[in-house]
């Protein structure tokens, strides 16, 4: 649990920060420690975005493996797919819509998405591991996906806290806990198949990455935007 | 035409008739169109293109319909114009991301319609940006030479500023005349430096871009640039280094060549030759042996006044013709020297050529001799040829002269070997012998070889010489003293210029008979014969002069028994100049060596 400890220390350090310091430029270590290294918000954003990019790449790989294995026909004629379980989450589907959203809402959306996928991915991994159709490589990817989603969510939470600390967003972000109960049940009550899960997750990971980029360029625009 | 069935004939004519009549009127439903591609340049709009099928001969209209994922509502393409013919442009309002579009094209004509196969599109995955813009190439200089700097701009439509799209760039470079491109990934930056280009060549550069997941854009139009002429600095530096080192090497080689000998001397130091202190090799080269020996002569050395003790020369000459021994004489000093040299040649541990050491050895013992003087005085002059080169050879020297000569003798000759005499004459009357390798036994009056026999009229004369062979201690007794016969002693009168010892018989010889007879023994070896090239043949056997006689008889015609010639002695200590040529004294039939083997067997047998 060193990670939690680290986060706790970071949180305490952030709390101890002088709130009047301006955003993102010269981080100061609390208690005068010279060895500690507090990340700026821009660095945090960069890390999170890289993480989400990696997540998306992994999910794309898994999806293409599924397609080659299961469904050779490219256009999926006759394929009936259900809605993704995250379709209830309102997500902006265009640039304007995304830019119209407030920072807090955008952050909330991100967090909701990430939260909604933690359990389904672990289910996916388990079901893939049991089936013999997949090689171990694919099932390992599924396992990795669930871990990464979990870590990404933690990272985004950290960023959110930092932003709230820095006063960039209000404290009204409440996506942290309320979306835990979202279950990946489709409307028909059946559980989604593995393929559908992978398909939906690929899309959602791209959404997350995009939203994070928008958020970053809106909050810390001077760094590579 | 008999093979044509009569029934098919009207059918054929009818079909031909119809074909002829109906080219303009045959129509059919259009063929199926096909959606070729859909692309979005900035992830905000997109366009789909289709390919019409066969139109069926009738004007055909095409319509594109789409429906969104999860909805059954069918929409028609909002804009057929913007993107050109057979295309459908979806504007921003009509574009939704992360949603599958189900698109199909319907071709309609009067005869019917046909629907293309549906295509599912998610706009996010069909992004293909426009080409980068404002590509600029320039040549810059730095320490290592010129390089290219390429810079560009993002395509205008792509919105990277808000983070909506992330573009990565790629450029490629090649020489105008070559075929292979060199590609470089520039990441998200909008400039790139290209190094290691060839001087004087013309290059062309192109750039393209791609969103983080999507399609590559088209390449930009090529930008041309001419590289200036230059010499790579590293190469010029290496050229300079190479030239400089070659120059240094050349100088070094030349110096070594000039100083070849000293280098060789340094690397392979010559083995120093043997040196005799006080011995001047230059004198040797000049060929005058007398000077050499004069150089060796040290006045007052050995530090004894009884140098005469060192001189005991006994020449016993046989008058018997048959037993005449031919001894090869030499210039005595040279001979002695040479014998000394011989003594040092082939055997280790034997005396060196250093005459001084030899003399020291022997003189120490010679000094003790007291009784020698008398004997010596009797002969007094029974000395060998003087060391003085040729001065006294001409004239038969008086005893006094020979005395004088004798006086100069000791340094030259080796000291006697007292131990031999001690064995035989415990009384202490010792005679010191000078080693003379070869002595000619010519009589003074005549030098011709024919008259030699007449010289030795007295019977029982024989000559013997003591030879210093390898060992300075050993004696080689050339001749054996026959005990039965009376022996007479001769003294060397003089030495001819032709290196011939002129002998003179002495008066008192009997007194020395016992000595001589005592001398006879194993320590002496007889000279058996002398070959034509001045080689002394020694006889090993001590049985007496019969051998000699026999031998002489055997080879009466061949050998001139008493003819001895002094040979030129090489004045160096080099072993190669041994005139004794003992190796050539190979045992011949009937010839035996002296009992004690005074003749060095190694020399003999080698």
């Amino acid at each position: 649990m060193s990670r939690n400890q680290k986060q706790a220390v970071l949180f305490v350090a952030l709390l101890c920060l002088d709130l009047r310091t301006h955003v993102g430029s010269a981080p100061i270590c609390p208690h005068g420690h010279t060895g500690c290294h507090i990340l700026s918000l821009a660095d945090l954003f960069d890390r999170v975005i890289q993480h989400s990019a990696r997540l998306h790449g992994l999910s794309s790989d898994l999806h293409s493996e599924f397609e080659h294995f299961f469904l050779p026909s490219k256009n999926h004629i006759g394929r009936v797919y259900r809605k993704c379980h995250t379709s209830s989450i309102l997500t902006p589907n265009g640039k304007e819509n995304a830019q119209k959203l407030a920072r807090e809402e955008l952050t909330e959306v991100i967090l909701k998405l990430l939260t909604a996928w933690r359990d389904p991915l672990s289910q996916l991994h388990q079901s893939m591991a049991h089936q013999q159709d997949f090689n171990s490589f694919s099932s390992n990817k599924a396992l990795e996906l669930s871990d990464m989603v979990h870590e990404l969510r933690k990272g985004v939470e950290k960023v959110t806290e930092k932003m709230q600390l820095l006063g960039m967003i209000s404290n009204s972000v409440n996506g942290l806990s309320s979306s835990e109960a979202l279950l990946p049940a489709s409307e028909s009550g059946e559980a989604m198949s593995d393929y559908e899960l992978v398909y939906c997750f690929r899309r959602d990971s791209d959404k997350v990455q995009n939203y994070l980029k928008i958020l970053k360029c809106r909050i810390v625009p001077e760094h590579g935007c | 035409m008999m093979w044509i069935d009569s029934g098919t004939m009207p059918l054929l004519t009818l079909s031909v008739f119809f074909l002829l009549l109906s080219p303009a009127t045959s129509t059919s439903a259009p063929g199926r169109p096909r959606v070729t591609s859909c692309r979005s340049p900035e992830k905000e709009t997109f366009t789909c293109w289709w390919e019409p099928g066969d139109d069926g001969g009738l004007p055909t209209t095409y319509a594109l319909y789409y429906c969104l994922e999860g909805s059954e509502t069918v929409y028609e393409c909002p804009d057929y114009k913007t993107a050109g013919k057979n295309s459908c442009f979806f504007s921003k309002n009509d574009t939704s991301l992360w949603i599958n579009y189900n698109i199909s094209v319907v071709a309609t004509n009067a005869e019917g319609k046909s629907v293309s196969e549906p295509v599912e599109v998610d706009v996010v995955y069909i992004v293909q940006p426009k080409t980068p813009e404002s590509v600029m190439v320039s040549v810059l200089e730095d320490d290592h030479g010129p390089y290219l700097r390429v810079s560009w701009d993002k395509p205008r439509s792509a919105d990277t500023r808000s983070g909506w799209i992330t573009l990565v760039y790629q450029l490629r470079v090649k020489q105008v005349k070559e075929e292979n491109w060199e590609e470089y990934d520039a990441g998200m930056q909008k400039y790139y430096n290209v190094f290691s280009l060839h001087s004087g060549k013309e290059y062309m550069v192109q750039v393209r871009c791609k969103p983080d997941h999507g399609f590559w854009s088209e390449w930009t139009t090529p930008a041309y640039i001419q590289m200036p002429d230059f010499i790579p600095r590293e190469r010029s530096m290496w050229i300079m280094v190479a030239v400089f080192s070659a120059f240094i090497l050349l100088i070094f080689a030349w110096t070594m060549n000039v100083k070849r000998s000293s280098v060789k001397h340094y690397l392979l130091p010559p083995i120093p030759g043997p040196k005799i202190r006080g011995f001047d090799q230059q004198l040797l080269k000049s060929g005058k042996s007398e000077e050499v020996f004069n150089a060796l002569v040290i006045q007052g050395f050995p530090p004894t006044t009884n140098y005469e003790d060192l001189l005991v020369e006994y020449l016993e000459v046989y008058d018997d013709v048959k037993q005449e021994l031919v001894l090869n004489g030499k210039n005595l000093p040279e001979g002695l020297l040479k014998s000394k040299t011989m003594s040092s040649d082939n055997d280790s541990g034997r005396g060196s050529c250093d005459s001084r050491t030899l003399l020291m050895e022997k003189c120490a013992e010679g000094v003790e001799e007291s009784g020698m003087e008398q004997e010596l005085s009797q002969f007094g002059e029974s000395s060998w040829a003087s060391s003085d080169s040729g001065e006294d050879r001409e004239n038969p020297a008086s005893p006094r002269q020979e005395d004088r000569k004798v006086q100069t003798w000791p340094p030259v000759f080796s000291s006697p070997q007292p131990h031999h005499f001690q064995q035989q004459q415990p009384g202490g009357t010792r005679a010191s012998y000078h080693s003379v390798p070869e002595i000619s036994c010519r009589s003074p009056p005549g030098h011709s070889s024919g008259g030699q026999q007449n010289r030795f009229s007295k019977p029982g004369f024989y000559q013997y010489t003591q030879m210093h062979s390898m060992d300075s201690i050993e004696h080689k007794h050339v001749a054996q003293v026959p005990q039965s016969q009376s022996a007479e002693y001769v003294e060397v009168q003089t030495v001819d210029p032709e290196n011939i010892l002129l002998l003179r018989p002495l008066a008192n010889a009997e007194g020395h008979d016992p000595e001589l007879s005592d001398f006879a023994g194993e320590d002496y070896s007889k000279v058996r014969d002398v070959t034509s090239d001045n080689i002394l043949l020694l006889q090993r056997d001590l049985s007496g002069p019969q051998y000699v006689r026999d031998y002489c008889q055997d080879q009466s015609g061949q050998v001139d028994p008493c003819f001895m010639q002094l040979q030129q002695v090489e004045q160096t200590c080099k072993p190669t100049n041994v005139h004794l040529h003992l190796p050539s004294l190979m045992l011949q039939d009937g010839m035996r060596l002296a009992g004690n083997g005074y003749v060095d067997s190694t020399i003999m047998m080698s």
Side-chain angles (χ1 to χ4, degrees):
Chain A
M1 301 302 288
S2 63
R3 191 183 180 81
N4 283 339
Q5 286 175 353
K6 236 196 308 187
Q7 292 171 358
V9 166
L10 191 59
F11 183 67
V12 168
L14 286 176
L15 285 176
C16 294
L17 275 179
D18 188 0
L19 291 179
R20 287 169 292 176
T21 56
H22 53 84
V23 177
S25 33
I28 301 170
C29 276
H31 315 299
H33 289 171
T34 54
C36 72
H37 173 62
I38 290 197
L39 293 170
S40 66
L41 189 60
D43 294 335
L44 279 174
F45 261 115
D46 286 337
R47 287 195 178 187
V48 160
I49 287 168
Q50 283 173 20
H51 207 148
S52 69
R54 194 160 157 247
L55 186 70
H56 177 72
L58 213 59
S59 65
S60 291
D61 294 343
L62 197 59
H63 179 259
S64 44
E65 281 180 27
F66 264 87
E67 283 209 324
H68 285 131
F69 194 80
F70 274 138
L71 304 155
S73 93
K74 196 165 189 219
N75 284 334
H76 321 299
I77 290 181
R79 176 175 63 100
V80 177
Y81 56 89
R82 287 173 271 268
K83 275 189 177 181
C84 297
H85 68 286
T86 51
S87 56
S88 59
I89 304 172
L90 277 175
T91 58
N93 60 359
K95 186 176 94 169
E96 287 83 9
N97 295 342
Q99 285 177 334
K100 282 179 199 164
L101 275 186
R103 300 174 183 178
E104 294 85 355
E105 292 166 1
L106 200 53
T107 314
E108 231 177 275
V109 164
I110 295 168
L111 286 170
K112 278 181 187 173
L113 283 171
L114 290 173
T115 311
W117 274 104
R118 191 183 60 182
D119 292 332
L121 282 176
S122 60
Q123 285 178 16
L124 175 69
H125 163 66
Q126 284 169 10
S127 71
M128 278 176 71
H130 285 127
Q131 290 178 20
Q132 285 160 2
D133 296 330
F134 306 101
N135 53 10
S136 60
F137 190 59
S138 300
S139 68
N140 284 343
K141 272 193 188 152
L143 179 64
E144 204 175 340
L145 280 178
S146 89
D147 289 339
M148 286 175 72
V149 160
H150 184 69
E151 289 177 15
L152 186 60
R153 187 170 76 99
K154 294 286 186 200
V156 174
E157 284 173 359
K158 193 98 19 239
V159 170
T160 310
E161 288 159 8
K162 180 124 189 177
M163 285 195 294
Q164 287 170 343
L165 222 59
L166 294 175
M168 296 177 170
I169 58 175
S170 66
N171 293 337
S172 62
V173 177
N174 57 357
L176 294 177
S177 58
S178 61
S179 45
E180 299 281 357
L182 204 64
L183 289 176
S186 66
E187 292 173 352
S188 58
E190 296 170 9
M192 293 175 69
S193 69
D194 292 342
Y195 176 78
E196 288 167 349
L197 278 175
V198 170
Y199 179 84
C200 292
F201 181 68
R202 179 171 87 129
R203 178 185 289 171
D204 285 345
S205 60
D206 190 46
K207 279 186 187 175
V208 165
Q209 185 183 9
N210 241 127
Y211 297 153
L212 281 171
K213 283 181 185 172
I214 293 175
L215 198 60
K216 179 206 170 190
C217 286
R218 202 192 291 183
I219 291 178
V220 279
E222 60 271 9
H223 294 274
C225 284
Chain B
M1 295 257 219
M2 301 304 267
W3 50 273
I4 296 178
D5 192 14
S6 59
T8 61
M9 188 59 176
L11 214 64
L12 272 169
T13 51
L14 268 174
S15 57
V16 167
F17 180 65
F18 274 119
L19 276 169
L20 287 171
L21 284 178
S22 65
T25 58
S26 70
T27 56
S28 63
R32 268 181 116 176
R34 189 174 68 91
V35 179
T36 51
S37 69
C38 297
R39 288 291 182 261
S40 167
E42 74 287 272
K43 211 154 78 168
E44 296 168 42
T45 67
F46 72 104
T47 310
C48 282
W49 291 271
W50 67 84
E51 173 188 74
D54 178 34
D55 63 351
L58 292 169
T60 314
T61 57
Y62 297 92
L64 187 144
Y65 298 99
Y66 67 92
C67 62
L68 292 174
E69 160 192 338
S71 159
E72 298 299 324
T73 318
V74 178
Y75 304 91
E76 193 180 347
C77 171
D79 189 340
Y80 288 105
K81 304 265 190 269
T82 311
K85 191 176 163 66
N86 294 332
S87 70
C88 176
F89 176 75
F90 294 83
S91 63
K92 284 185 188 177
N93 297 332
D94 301 317
T95 307
S96 304
L97 268 63
W98 298 297
I99 279 180
N100 274 350
Y101 281 74
N102 198 325
I103 294 170
S104 55
V105 176
V106 175
T108 314
N109 68 0
E111 293 289 327
K113 59 169 139 183
S114 61
V115 182
S116 68
E117 282 201 22
V119 167
E120 284 211 9
V121 168
D122 192 338
V123 178
V124 172
Y125 298 114
I126 56 163
V127 181
Q128 185 182 23
K130 301 265 191 246
T131 65
E133 295 178 1
S134 310
V135 178
M136 291 191 303
V137 188
S138 57
V139 178
L140 296 183
E141 287 273 346
D142 75 340
D143 294 341
H144 300 284
Y147 62 96
L148 276 185
R149 184 181 173 93
V150 188
S151 64
W152 57 87
D153 269 341
K154 67 171 180 64
R156 212 169 303 143
S157 57
D159 183 10
T160 57
R161 186 154 182 85
S162 65
W164 184 241
I165 279 189
T166 312
L167 291 174
V168 292
Y169 299 96
Q170 194 182 64
L171 74 153
R172 66 179 187 180
V173 179
K174 83 171 171 73
Q175 290 185 32
V176 175
K177 296 186 181 130
E178 299 243 332
E179 291 185 7
N180 297 327
W181 289 95
E182 187 83 30
E183 293 188 353
Y184 303 97
D185 286 317
M188 287 165 60
Q189 63 194 25
K190 298 192 182 64
Y191 63 91
Y192 199 78
N193 295 327
V194 184
F195 297 98
S196 301
L197 294 177
H198 300 151
S199 66
K201 298 283 163 63
E202 192 181 8
Y203 285 89
M204 44 197 291
V205 181
Q206 288 183 311
V207 189
R208 67 176 182 179
C209 59
K210 175 176 100 78
D212 40 8
H213 39 271
F215 300 98
W216 280 105
S217 70
E218 297 294 329
W219 289 103
T220 58
T221 55
Y224 294 90
I225 187 74
Q226 175 76 33
M227 288 291 285
D229 293 321
F230 67 96
I231 296 176
R233 194 181 196 172
E234 291 153 7
R235 191 177 303 167
S236 66
M237 182 188 77
W238 283 115
I239 288 171
M240 270 177 52
V241 167
V243 166
F244 187 67
S245 53
F247 183 65
I248 295 283
L249 263 174
L250 209 65
I251 289 188
F252 182 68
W254 175 247
T255 309
M256 295 288 273
N257 187 41
V258 164
K259 302 245 184 248
R260 203 181 325 141
S261 57
S262 63
V263 167
K264 190 177 160 193
H265 193 278
Y266 176 72
L267 289 177
L268 304 167
I271 300 166
K275 286 201 175 156
I276 300 171
R277 258 192 298 171
F279 196 72
D280 189 4
Q281 288 188 356
Q282 294 300 325
L283 286 181
L284 281 181
K285 288 179 189 168
S286 64
K288 299 220 165 174
S289 56
E290 297 82 6
E291 295 166 8
V292 175
F293 293 124
N294 284 340
L296 291 174
V297 169
I298 298 177
Q299 296 298 329
F301 185 86
T304 173
T305 54
N306 299 327
Y307 57 84
E308 293 161 274
D309 298 340
L310 305 175
L311 288 177
V312 173
E313 302 308 293
Y314 300 94
L315 277 181
E316 298 183 355
V317 180
Y318 267 121
D319 196 21
D320 195 335
V321 173
K322 295 174 186 172
Q323 297 175 1
E324 282 167 354
L325 302 171
V326 178
L327 300 174
N328 280 333
K330 297 182 200 170
N331 191 351
L332 283 179
E334 298 157 335
L336 279 179
L337 249 187
K338 199 182 110 179
S339 63
K340 280 176 240 153
T341 64
M342 288 182 329
S343 69
S344 64
D345 282 338
N346 295 340
D347 242 2
S348 62
R350 300 199 185 190
S352 69
C353 289
D354 192 352
S355 59
R356 184 173 301 178
T357 52
L358 283 173
L359 284 171
M360 288 289 288
E361 254 184 80
K362 307 308 168 184
C363 285
E365 309 194 30
V367 172
E368 300 163 7
E369 283 298 21
S370 56
M372 297 290 291
E373 279 187 21
Q374 298 172 359
E375 295 159 8
L376 280 178
S377 61
Q378 282 180 358
F379 309 124
E381 310 52 70
S382 69
S383 58
W384 298 108
S386 159
S387 62
D388 295 333
S389 54
E391 286 177 16
D392 302 308
R393 287 184 198 155
E394 309 281 351
N395 312 320
S398 66
R400 288 301 117 196
Q401 289 178 353
E402 290 179 359
D403 269 338
R404 184 168 33 86
K405 292 175 207 173
V406 167
Q407 293 180 13
T408 60
W409 210 285
V412 179
F413 296 107
S414 63
S415 55
Q417 291 93 18
H419 63 274
H420 284 283
F421 294 99
Q422 280 171 354
Q423 290 171 6
Q424 297 168 5
Q425 294 170 347
T429 55
R430 292 191 299 171
S432 59
Y433 290 86
H434 289 271
S435 64
V436 175
E438 289 161 350
I439 296 174
S440 68
C441 61
R442 260 193 210 174
S443 61
H447 300 295
S448 62
S449 56
Q452 290 169 5
Q453 299 183 2
N454 298 328
R455 292 179 224 155
F456 310 105
S457 54
K458 290 186 182 176
F461 269 76
Y462 63 92
Q463 291 179 340
Y464 68 90
T465 60
Q466 292 179 3
M467 322 271 298
H468 264 289
S469 70
M470 304 309 102
D471 195 13
S472 58
I473 297 178
E474 290 180 355
H475 283 286
K476 219 177 316 176
H477 300 286
V478 173
Q480 183 181 12
V481 178
Q483 299 178 359
S484 57
Q485 297 181 4
S486 64
E488 288 191 1
Y489 295 93
V490 299
E491 66 171 316
V492 175
Q493 203 168 9
T494 178
V495 179
D496 263 347
E498 298 165 30
N499 294 333
I500 299 172
L501 271 179
L502 302 177
L503 303 175
R504 185 174 57 123
L506 288 176
N508 305 326
E510 288 77 11
H512 303 282
D513 276 343
E515 296 177 43
L516 288 175
S517 60
D518 289 337
F519 294 161
E522 313 99 35
D523 296 334
Y524 299 93
S525 56
K526 279 186 184 178
V527 171
R528 180 77 165 216
D529 196 2
V530 177
T531 61
S532 58
D533 50 349
N534 297 335
I535 296 168
L536 201 61
L537 303 176
L538 298 182
Q539 186 179 358
R540 193 185 173 106
D541 200 350
L542 291 176
S543 57
Q546 283 102 2
Y547 279 92
V548 178
R549 244 180 276 129
D550 294 341
Y551 180 73
C552 283
Q553 282 171 0
D554 289 341
Q555 309 195 7
S556 55
Q558 302 174 13
V559 174
D560 207 348
C562 288
F563 183 73
M564 299 201 304
Q565 287 180 352
L566 282 175
Q567 285 189 349
Q568 289 286 345
V569 177
E570 299 284 329
Q571 299 189 10
T572 61
C573 290
K574 288 181 187 161
T576 56
N577 292 328
V578 174
H579 277 267
L580 191 59
H581 288 276
L582 288 177
S584 62
L585 292 178
M586 297 313 296
L587 291 179
Q588 301 180 12
D589 292 339
M591 181 169 158
R592 279 173 258 179
L593 294 177
N596 69 341
Y598 179 75
V599 175
D600 187 44
S601 57
T602 61
I603 294 298
M604 283 282 290
M605 302 302 189
S606 63

